[in-house]
Amino acid sequence: LSKMKNIIALIALFLVSISMQAQDTLNLKNGTKVLGVVTEISSTQIKFKKTATGPVYVMQKDEIASVSYQNGTSEVFGVTTSIPTATTSNPSTAPKPTVKNTESGKIGKYDAQDDGQLLGKKHYGGPRIGMTIISDGSISKSIGANVISQFGWQFETRFFTVDNGASGLFEFIPMVGGMERGIFLPSATALIGFRTGKGHEFGCGPTLSLSGFGMVFAAGTSFQMGHVCFPVNVAFQPNISKQEYFSYFDGNTYISGTKKVDTGFKLSLLVGFNARNN
């Protein structure tokens, strides 16, 4: 049994070693080595991917001395007397080649030590449906319910994305609640947040409804199927205590003053899907 475990461990180590080496190497003229998989070579450019699911990068051919392919072959471009290695060059002083990210269409400087290449903006949108629980307070009292439905739309902008899939988000979500009770409760929420490469997200921002302004804290996760995302989010709006003016006539005189009023907290569960707009 012990020998079998050792054999399995050696096989696993061998497979990992192969997978780590199964990449092409771009030897740049400034001494930098870039690992990736070459997808296309034209007369002036070389296109490659750093990861299987990552974006396609473009480098000018005159910045590359040679390419060493994963199958053991190599290809030399232009005329060069030697190909310096990364150990003989100074990365801080060597010029950095220009790289074009074809997904964002933007030109930037490539650093072989930096895997945080930013991609361009992406816009998504999709419907949202869910429910909101409202604790006892002025809001639930005015609508006569502690649970209402929610229908709306989410407009999402990913204003940056890095190679591991993490992204910064801005979301605008107009909603209408309470239609199953014959009432119209519009609201609009703006969120700034962050989504990890695994689809987990969190954010916060202001919300406006008929009950006034408030703050919303949201968290959730997204499931990807092709080019469509299926988010599941939970949003929490804290209770707000405020002073309200009151006035009434008791039959003899007018009585007025202020009193403390609690709006009650809101807890919402929303699901839906997002598709890319542009």
Side-chain angles (χ1 to χ4, degrees):
L1 181 60
S2 177
K3 290 183 177 180
M4 181 62 69
K5 290 182 178 179
N6 291 337
I7 293 173
I8 293 174
L10 288 174
I11 293 174
L13 182 62
F14 177 72
L15 293 176
V16 171
S17 176
I18 291 177
S19 65
M20 292 178 63
Q21 296 177 2
Q23 286 185 303
D24 303 324
T25 302
L26 283 72
N27 302 297
L28 309 187
K29 291 181 180 179
N30 67 2
T32 304
K33 292 180 180 292
V34 179
L35 296 178
V37 176
V38 175
T39 60
E40 183 182 339
I41 297 180
S42 68
S43 59
T44 59
Q45 297 177 331
I46 293 180
K47 297 181 180 181
F48 65 96
K49 283 188 173 185
K50 293 170 60 181
T51 61
T53 59
V56 176
Y57 295 95
V58 177
M59 295 188 66
Q60 298 304 311
K61 214 171 180 180
D62 57 10
E63 296 176 324
I64 302 173
S66 67
V67 175
S68 300
Y69 298 103
Q70 54 186 278
N71 61 5
T73 63
S74 61
E75 187 172 359
V76 179
F77 306 103
V79 179
T80 179
T81 56
S82 64
I83 302 175
T85 63
T87 56
T88 60
S89 62
N90 186 347
S92 62
T93 58
K96 297 179 181 179
T98 301
V99 176
K100 180 177 181 180
N101 184 321
T102 57
E103 186 168 351
S104 65
K106 294 182 179 180
I107 300 293
K109 292 295 183 178
Y110 178 81
D111 187 339
Q113 304 299 322
D114 181 14
D115 288 332
Q117 182 73 27
L118 299 183
L119 310 184
K121 286 185 179 180
K122 298 179 183 178
H123 300 279
Y124 292 77
R128 291 294 180 273
I129 183 174
M131 59 180 291
T132 296
I133 299 173
I134 308 171
S135 67
D136 291 337
S138 61
I139 298 176
S140 62
K141 183 178 179 180
S142 64
I143 65 178
N146 290 100
V147 180
I148 59 173
S149 64
Q150 295 282 5
F151 295 89
W153 196 273
Q154 180 184 25
F155 300 91
E156 176 183 308
T157 298
R158 301 181 189 179
F159 48 85
F160 74 81
T161 304
V162 295
D163 281 350
N164 64 5
S167 55
L169 309 174
F170 172 77
E171 299 177 355
F172 177 69
I173 312 161
M175 303 286 292
V176 175
M179 290 189 294
E180 79 285 359
R181 298 182 176 273
I183 54 179
F184 181 77
L185 300 173
S187 65
T189 302
L191 297 173
I192 294 179
F194 182 81
R195 180 179 293 126
T196 69
K198 295 183 178 180
H200 308 312
E201 59 187 54
F202 56 89
C204 62
T207 184
L208 174 64
S209 65
L210 294 180
S211 60
F213 283 99
M215 192 73 176
V216 170
F217 302 88
T221 189
S222 295
F223 304 94
Q224 185 86 23
M225 293 182 63
H227 296 288
V228 181
C229 296
F230 296 88
V232 178
N233 296 99
V234 175
F236 177 73
Q237 181 178 343
N239 170 66
I240 299 176
S241 295
K242 53 186 178 181
Q243 297 291 327
E244 285 192 354
Y245 175 81
F246 67 89
S247 169
Y248 65 92
F249 182 69
D250 67 356
N252 296 315
T253 184
Y254 281 99
I255 299 175
S256 63
T258 60
K259 62 179 179 179
K260 180 182 177 181
V261 175
D262 291 326
T263 60
F265 68 80
K266 296 180 181 178
L267 181 64
S268 300
L269 173 65
L270 300 173
V271 298
F273 61 84
N274 277 357
R276 185 172 178 180
N277 297 327
N278 54 50

